[in-house]
Amino acid sequence: MTDDLLGRHRAVLPDWLALYYEEPIEITHGEGRHVWDAEGNRYLDFFGGILTTMTAHALPEVTKAVSEQAGRIIHSSTLYLNRPMVELAERVAQLSGIPDARVFFTTSGTEANDTALLLATAYRRSNTILAMRNSYHGRSFSSVGITGNRGWSPTSLSPLQTLYVHGGVRTRGPYASLSDDAFIAACVDDLVDLLGHTRPPAALIAEPIQGVGGFTSPPDGLYAAFREVLHERGILWIADEVQTGWGRTGEHFWGWQAHGQNGPPDIMTFAKGIGNGMSIGGVVARSEIMNCLDSNSISTFGGTQITMAAGLANLNYLLEHDLQGNARRVGGLLIERLRAAAAPVPAVREVRGRGLMIGIEITRPGTDEADPRAAAAVLEAARESGLLIGKGGGHNTSSLRVAPPLSLNVAEAEEGAAILENALRSIQ
């Protein structure tokens, strides 16, 4: 970096603002599923800015919508009628599956989860929250307080009383050896027992697939079983769809639908991919919950015209081009290819996920002990060969995260899988 951008970064930004790679890269532009760095190197992007560039880099339909809106007006706040915000809210409410839904837009997933917690605690008049072990819900004071992943929880102080529930990780913990049905039954029994020892909670918040946790998930139906227990007691269910929404899992438009036998969640949060890189988050809830606040509130930057224009254009594109179906088809091929590539590598404990949301867990061979050094080495080797992936997980961050834009084609999936195969072999 000719102007020592890394040195300037370290001089003015927090030490905890992590950068990938021993020699961090500056991404300057992108197109489709590829990006380029400041040195002119081209990469196949299998992480999409942490799942935010969900559709494609420089998608013409989105860039055109942003440009045209910027030429009219960029921002006015929620104090004035906003046509793009109303139009996107109508679409999201209809797609959510929540009856009589109301939508509130924010600027991020963190802020969306923060709002959901405000609504749930106000509606239920309780500050007790149930959350999942190994979960991640954002970086604000309240969302850190319900994050069940030690690596992303810098303080134990919180305005909430949080109780952590079993079930978010299928292959670890005391119930890992059980069948799926027995696993669900054991987690439900644990939840019922927990509720017998505490004052009534406001809500359970859960990611259908844990994102930062390494793309772990319970068996399908767990949250439906939880929902039955919660509903009997008036406890709300908040589905955190920040990473799973908009068709990424392939099989469903929303992650909660894999657990939807007892109906949709009471509250749902979203963010990440809906803006294809623009800063959009939001909350959907039944009107009685959304309207329970008895004081004024606004959002200065939530739902601003330019981000709503991007969201509308992106949503139209992904629906018209059936990117959910593409995630199912291409993601299915990719995960099977990665499982075959990982089979002879002793350090790979598990390849998991669905659609274009795939996790590869790295451990010390023959053990369940995390190996973050080996995971970092795979990350480096992939970058050197022209592939960008992410990492995450509990147990010292030893899971690789693979989440390409949903327009990924078969040839690109095969190219990325081949690079990952070589990167995994390099750590043997």
Side-chain angles (χ1 to χ4, degrees):
M1 300 181 187
T2 55
D3 62 350
D4 189 24
L5 186 60
L6 177 59
R8 292 163 59 195
H9 174 103
R10 288 173 172 165
V12 296
L13 297 173
D15 291 345
W16 42 260
L17 197 63
L19 291 167
Y20 274 175
Y21 310 119
E22 292 180 7
E23 296 182 8
I25 61 174
E26 177 192 1
I27 295 176
T28 58
H29 61 286
E31 182 178 351
R33 277 71 56 193
H34 292 86
V35 294
W36 284 259
D37 68 17
E39 308 300 321
N41 298 306
R42 177 178 179 263
Y43 302 95
L44 183 58
D45 185 3
F46 270 27
F47 203 39
I50 320 179
L51 288 80
T52 54
T53 307
M54 184 179 69
T55 308
H57 290 281
L59 186 70
E61 288 81 353
V62 172
T63 55
K64 180 175 183 286
V66 169
S67 176
E68 290 180 350
Q69 182 60 56
R72 294 190 292 270
I73 188 169
I74 293 175
H75 168 75
S76 66
S77 88
T78 54
L79 293 173
Y80 307 94
L81 285 172
N82 179 333
R83 188 174 301 274
M85 182 170 68
V86 172
E87 291 175 352
L88 185 56
E90 289 171 339
R91 300 289 300 280
V92 172
Q94 186 272 324
L95 289 165
S96 73
I98 296 174
D100 193 22
R102 298 292 188 273
V103 182
F104 178 75
F105 289 107
T106 67
T107 60
S108 69
T110 289
E111 190 188 348
N113 285 331
D114 204 59
T115 302
L117 293 170
L118 171 64
L119 292 171
T121 54
Y123 183 77
R124 289 275 295 157
R125 303 185 68 82
S126 168
N127 76 330
T128 300
I129 295 292
L130 302 171
M132 305 304 295
R133 298 180 184 187
N134 194 50
S135 59
Y136 176 83
H137 298 288
R139 57 153 300 279
S140 67
F141 190 46
S142 68
S143 59
V144 162
I146 58 165
T147 287
N149 185 317
R150 173 64 186 87
W152 293 89
S153 183
T155 177
S156 61
L157 301 175
S158 175
L160 303 167
Q161 178 185 10
T162 306
L163 304 173
Y164 292 101
V165 180
H166 282 297
V169 183
R170 176 65 183 90
T171 61
R172 285 185 179 270
Y175 307 144
S177 62
L178 301 177
S179 68
D180 283 355
D181 288 344
F183 180 94
I184 290 174
C187 291
V188 169
D189 287 344
D190 179 72
L191 173 62
V192 171
D193 181 70
L194 177 63
L195 293 174
H197 295 282
T198 184
R199 296 186 64 81
L204 165 74
I205 185 169
E207 306 155 273
I209 298 176
Q210 295 181 328
V212 169
F215 294 166
T216 61
S217 63
D220 288 357
L222 174 73
Y223 294 121
F226 278 4
R227 166 81 161 173
E228 190 171 336
V229 173
L230 300 173
H231 186 69
E232 290 174 352
R233 294 159 175 80
I235 301 167
L236 304 178
W237 172 27
I238 304 170
D240 178 343
E241 296 275 357
V242 168
Q243 296 196 29
T244 47
W246 318 108
R248 178 164 286 281
T249 69
E251 297 174 17
H252 302 98
F253 195 75
W254 305 108
W256 70 260
Q257 290 171 316
H259 308 270
Q261 296 93 324
N262 293 325
D266 300 291
I267 304 173
M268 183 176 71
T269 61
F270 60 87
K272 296 287 188 189
I274 181 58
N276 199 44
M278 295 294 282
S279 185
I280 304 176
V283 185
V284 193
R286 299 198 319 268
S287 60
E288 66 193 84
I289 299 171
M290 185 68 81
N291 294 332
C292 76
L293 303 183
D294 61 1
S295 62
N296 295 325
S297 191
I298 63 168
S299 179
T300 302
F301 288 108
T304 194
Q305 284 90 336
I306 197 165
T307 59
M308 297 295 94
L312 280 165
N314 191 49
L315 182 58
N316 287 337
Y317 185 93
L318 73 90
L319 291 172
E320 290 169 4
H321 292 80
D322 187 24
L323 294 194
Q324 177 186 336
N326 191 65
R328 182 179 63 253
R329 293 184 296 272
V330 180
L333 294 171
L334 179 58
I335 195 168
E336 290 308 315
R337 176 71 171 81
L338 291 175
R339 283 175 173 154
V345 182
V348 177
R349 180 177 181 272
E350 183 182 21
V351 178
R352 56 181 174 248
R354 58 180 61 189
L356 288 172
M357 195 172 186
I358 302 168
I360 305 171
E361 186 173 349
I362 308 295
T363 56
R364 300 189 189 282
T367 77
D368 285 342
E369 183 183 351
D371 194 343
R373 278 191 175 185
V378 176
L379 199 79
E380 292 282 355
R383 182 199 60 78
E384 290 171 6
S385 297
L387 178 71
L388 304 184
I389 58 174
K391 60 181 179 178
H395 305 281
N396 296 317
T397 311
S398 67
S399 293
L400 305 171
R401 294 203 285 163
V402 177
L406 302 191
S407 56
L408 185 77
N409 62 44
V410 171
E412 292 163 340
E414 178 59 37
E415 178 188 352
I419 294 172
L420 262 175
E421 180 174 15
N422 290 331
L424 289 168
R425 287 177 175 174
S426 72
I427 63 172
Q428 295 192 75

